[in-house]
């Protein structure tokens, strides 16, 4: 492909993406293909000769679209919002077009410096103090792994430089609520703590970590000769968007000199709305935090913002210094390769920059308020319509509900609610997530696609009622 062909095919592809977005609402939200179906339409062997890339929109439409679940659809209520705004698509395109590796400042100074400024804009947008320094990572999972590695090294006084975790020091222990995301458990295992040293702390009636239970677990570990190391608190749990009490947890962390990492993957974006900031009161006392502009905000996947208080510690843990990576500017610039696990890094900041430039903070804040308002409206409708019930508080945009049909025992109710969710997902009219909360099968409605207006939420509510009543 030469530059002229690229120009022509590129225009066709942009037209196709624009049309896809314009007609998105007419497609079934969840893909209807069966396992293996997409694969069967692709040749088993790679082509020996090129020239097959001249109708990319045609290929996408024919082979790919049937296997796409439409995350930017206005009736997408599953998992979490994953907004990819037009401006951020252009940022990703520019990133690919430039094709740079921003591993060191020198390998593309703009990649580092635009990222530094974007992380600072984002810090201000969510109301964090100047003591936080940010770096872009691919996902919250990776960021949490990095945080726990930093915690491990601080608690073990840099055991990585010697025996690692294979010396004879007492085992290090990590604490997280029973509602923490699976990435916390994964990070604990991958960072070498071992499952035996992850304490799952019980939650209260609102699904937030119980600080008395946290204190009890730490005391038990000290008595047993273990070494409490880190607490992972969640601001906005996956199931119900519950908020662990950061200030009280920070008291415990300070008392015992534990690392406090806050996982705000989905809900961090809400802090752009000042009224929401009380939900993570105490955040300034954490050591690290992560949130994902690639979820509710609008900068497309993947773009996770990791903030820490002590970048020098991060660099000491993650830094490498082989001769072939040394540059003249080392010592006076940030070399972001030393701020996380991968060496190579894309110029992801472009998509965040383009997005913020295009939309502006006021409009982002207004949209978040709209979504929170829509979630409250849905919760009110559900609460006012027995035997429907809302099973968890609704601090933001996630509404967990269930239909308590009369005369059904718990297992029949579970089957009934699961069937409602599956029926809706199979219909293509909307897509939501069945889950289990407090032992109960629930239907989880996560509101927040850029295109979702009140009318779409109202249509979902009508559909839920009709499916539960068996009238559709
Ligand atoms: C609270 C929480 N933490 C972490 C994650 C994982 O995010 P990522 O896909 O960026 O690793 C999620 C995703 O749903 C989440 O809800």
């Amino acid at each position: 492909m030469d530059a002229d062909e690229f120009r022509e095919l590129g225009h066709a592809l942009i037209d196709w993406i624009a049309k896809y977005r314009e007609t998105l609402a007419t497609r079934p939200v969840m893909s209807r293909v069966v396992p293996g179906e997409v694969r069967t339409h692709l040749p088993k062997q790679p082509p020996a000769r090129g020239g097959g890339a001249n109708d990319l929109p045609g290929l996408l439409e024919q082979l790919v679209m049937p296997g796409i679940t439409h995350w930017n659809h206005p009736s997408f209520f599953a998992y979490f919002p994953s907004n990819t705004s037009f401006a951020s698509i252009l940022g990703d395109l520019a990133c690919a077009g430039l094709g740079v590796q921003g591993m060191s400042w020198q390998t593309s100074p703009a990649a580092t410096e635009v990222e530094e400024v974007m992380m600072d804009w984002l810090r201000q947008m969510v109301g964090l103090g100047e003591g936080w320094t940010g770096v872009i990572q691919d996902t919250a999972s990776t960021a949490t792994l990095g945080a726990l590695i930093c915690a491990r090294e601080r608690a073990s006084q840099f055991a990585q430089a010697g025996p690692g975790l294979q010396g004879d020091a007492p085992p290090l222990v990590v604490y997280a609520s029973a509602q923490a995301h699976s990435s916390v458990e994964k990070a604990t295992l991958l960072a070498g703590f071992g499952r035996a040293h992850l304490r799952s702390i019980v939650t209260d009636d609102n699904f937030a970590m119980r600080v008395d239970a946290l204190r009890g677990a730490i005391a038990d570990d000290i008595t047993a000769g273990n070494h409490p190391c880190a607490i992972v608190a969640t601001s906005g749990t996956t199931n119900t968007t519950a908020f662990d009490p950061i200030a009280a947890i920070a008291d415990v962390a300070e008392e015992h000199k534990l690392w406090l990492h806050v996982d705000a993957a989905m809900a961090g974006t809400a802090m752009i709305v000042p009224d929401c900031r009380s939900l993570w009161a105490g955040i300034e006392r954490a050591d690290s935090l992560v949130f994902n502009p690639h979820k509710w905000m609008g900068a497309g996947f993947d773009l996770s913002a990791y903030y820490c208080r002590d970048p020098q510690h991060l660099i000491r843990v993650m830094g490498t210094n082989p001769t072939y990576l040394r540059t003249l500017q080392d010592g006076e610039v940030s070399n972001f390769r030393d701020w996380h696990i991968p060496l190579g890094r894309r110029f992801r900041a472009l998509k965040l920059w383009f997005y913020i430039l295009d939309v502006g903070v006021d409009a982002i804040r207004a949209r978040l308020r709209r979504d929170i308002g829509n979630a409250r409206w849905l919760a009110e409708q559900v609460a006012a319509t027995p035997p429907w019930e809302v099973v968890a508080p609704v601090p933001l945009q996630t509404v967990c509900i269930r239909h308590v049909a009369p005369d059904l025992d718990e297992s029949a109710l579970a089957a009934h609610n699961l069937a409602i969710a599956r029926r809706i997902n199979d219909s293509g009219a909307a897509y939501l997530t069945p889950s289990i909360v407090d032992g109960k099968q629930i239907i989880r409605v996560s509101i927040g696609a850029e295109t979702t207006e009140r009318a779409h939420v109202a249509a979902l509510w009508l559909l839920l009622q009709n499916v539960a009543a068996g009238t559709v």
Side-chain angles (χ1 to χ4, degrees):
M1 190 180 296
D2 62 24
D4 280 336
E5 287 168 318
F6 171 74
R7 193 171 285 117
E8 193 182 322
L9 294 172
H11 284 153
L13 195 58
I14 291 281
D15 281 343
W16 180 82
I17 294 171
K19 184 143 186 238
Y20 163 63
R21 289 302 185 93
E22 280 171 344
T23 57
L24 191 57
T26 62
R27 301 183 186 248
V29 191
M30 187 181 81
S31 167
R32 290 166 163 167
V33 297
V34 296
E37 190 176 328
V38 175
R39 212 167 42 224
T40 53
H41 296 296
L42 292 165
K44 283 208 165 55
Q45 275 86 39
R49 292 204 196 101
N54 48 17
D55 181 18
L56 299 176
L59 286 177
L60 286 167
E61 203 57 64
Q62 199 194 330
L63 299 180
V64 173
M65 290 315 271
I68 292 295
T69 291
H70 304 284
W71 284 69
N72 288 268
H73 194 294
S75 296
F76 184 96
F77 299 106
Y79 308 107
F80 46 83
S82 185
N83 290 312
T84 306
S85 68
F86 278 127
S88 90
I89 297 171
L90 295 178
D92 246 344
L93 188 62
C95 167
L98 293 172
V100 299
Q101 271 278 1
M103 56 194 184
S104 306
W105 178 88
Q106 193 189 69
T107 62
S108 264
T112 298
E113 296 191 14
V114 174
E115 179 164 335
E116 286 173 327
V117 175
M118 285 312 107
M119 286 297 93
D120 201 57
W121 283 11
L122 210 52
R123 176 190 68 72
Q124 296 173 53
M125 284 164 66
V126 297
L128 290 172
E130 287 182 358
W132 291 99
T133 311
V135 59
I136 297 178
Q137 307 223 2
D138 55 0
T139 60
S141 303
T142 313
T144 295
L145 172 58
L148 286 185
I149 293 172
C150 286
R152 184 191 75 196
E153 291 311 306
R154 192 174 79 179
S156 68
Q157 274 144 35
F158 285 90
Q160 69 177 16
L165 293 184
Q166 312 211 61
D168 53 7
L172 300 172
V173 184
V174 176
Y175 306 82
S177 103
Q179 292 290 324
H181 188 260
S182 58
S183 58
V184 176
E185 181 184 14
K186 189 170 184 173
T188 306
L189 303 191
L190 294 181
F193 292 89
R195 196 184 299 280
H197 305 118
L198 173 62
R199 305 283 173 257
S200 178
I201 307 299
V202 290
T203 54
D204 62 17
D205 292 346
N206 293 330
F207 307 104
M209 187 191 287
R210 270 184 42 196
V211 179
D212 61 327
L214 172 67
R215 284 189 180 281
I218 292 172
D220 288 349
D221 274 313
I222 293 172
T223 307
N226 296 329
H227 183 168
C229 170
I231 306 169
V232 181
T234 308
S235 282
T237 59
T238 308
N239 246 345
T240 67
T241 321
F243 284 78
D244 291 339
I246 305 290
I249 292 171
D251 287 343
V252 180
E254 277 165 18
E255 240 170 76
H256 294 281
K257 298 193 171 42
L258 307 192
W259 186 283
L260 175 56
H261 174 65
V262 176
D263 174 5
M266 211 296 297
T269 292
M271 306 310 162
I272 296 173
V273 179
D275 323 343
C276 292
R277 292 181 192 155
S278 58
L279 290 167
W280 72 359
I283 190 71
E284 293 299 332
R285 295 163 65 197
D287 291 284
S288 56
L289 91 103
V290 62
F291 79 95
N292 286 348
H294 70 225
K295 285 191 158 84
W296 195 7
M297 194 178 295
F301 188 81
D302 52 352
L303 199 153
S304 199
Y306 178 69
Y307 284 91
C308 63
R309 300 208 140 274
D310 183 0
Q312 287 317 314
H313 177 74
L314 179 61
I315 292 166
R316 190 168 167 206
V317 174
M318 299 281 168
T320 51
N321 193 24
T323 49
Y324 47 82
L325 290 178
R326 289 181 196 158
T327 63
L328 210 55
Q329 296 82 14
D330 291 353
E332 57 170 314
V333 295
S334 294
N335 288 320
F336 276 141
R337 66 163 192 271
D338 291 337
W339 291 54
H340 51 39
I341 296 168
L343 167 66
R345 55 199 327 272
R346 300 194 298 124
F347 194 168
R348 289 193 187 88
L350 282 177
K351 59 186 163 184
L352 186 58
W353 184 30
F354 286 13
Y355 169 63
I356 298 171
L357 280 182
D358 178 51
V359 183
V361 180
D362 290 350
I364 301 173
R365 192 174 284 137
R367 178 170 57 78
L368 300 173
R369 285 200 167 112
R370 175 202 66 178
D371 296 341
I372 293 168
N374 283 341
R376 290 199 181 134
W377 176 84
L378 177 63
E380 280 161 21
Q381 308 308 304
V382 172
T385 315
W388 284 95
E389 63 180 34
V390 181
V391 301
V394 182
L396 293 178
Q397 48 58 262
T398 311
V399 190
C400 295
I401 61 177
R402 70 174 192 157
H403 185 248
V404 192
D407 305 326
L408 296 185
D409 64 16
E410 204 47 60
S411 90
L413 271 182
H416 173 61
N417 281 275
L418 196 54
I420 295 172
R422 289 199 174 141
R423 184 90 199 273
I424 289 177
N425 291 347
D426 288 346
S427 77
Y431 185 35
L432 30 74
T433 305
S435 186
I436 293 181
V437 168
D438 213 11
K440 295 174 191 156
Q441 177 69 55
I442 59 123
I443 300 170
R444 189 177 162 283
V445 181
S446 173
I447 297 170
E450 268 185 331
T451 48
T452 303
E453 300 289 349
R454 173 67 57 84
H456 301 104
V457 181
L460 173 71
W461 173 224
L462 188 63
L463 184 61
L464 279 159
Q465 292 174 92
N466 287 339
V467 171
T471 55
V472 289

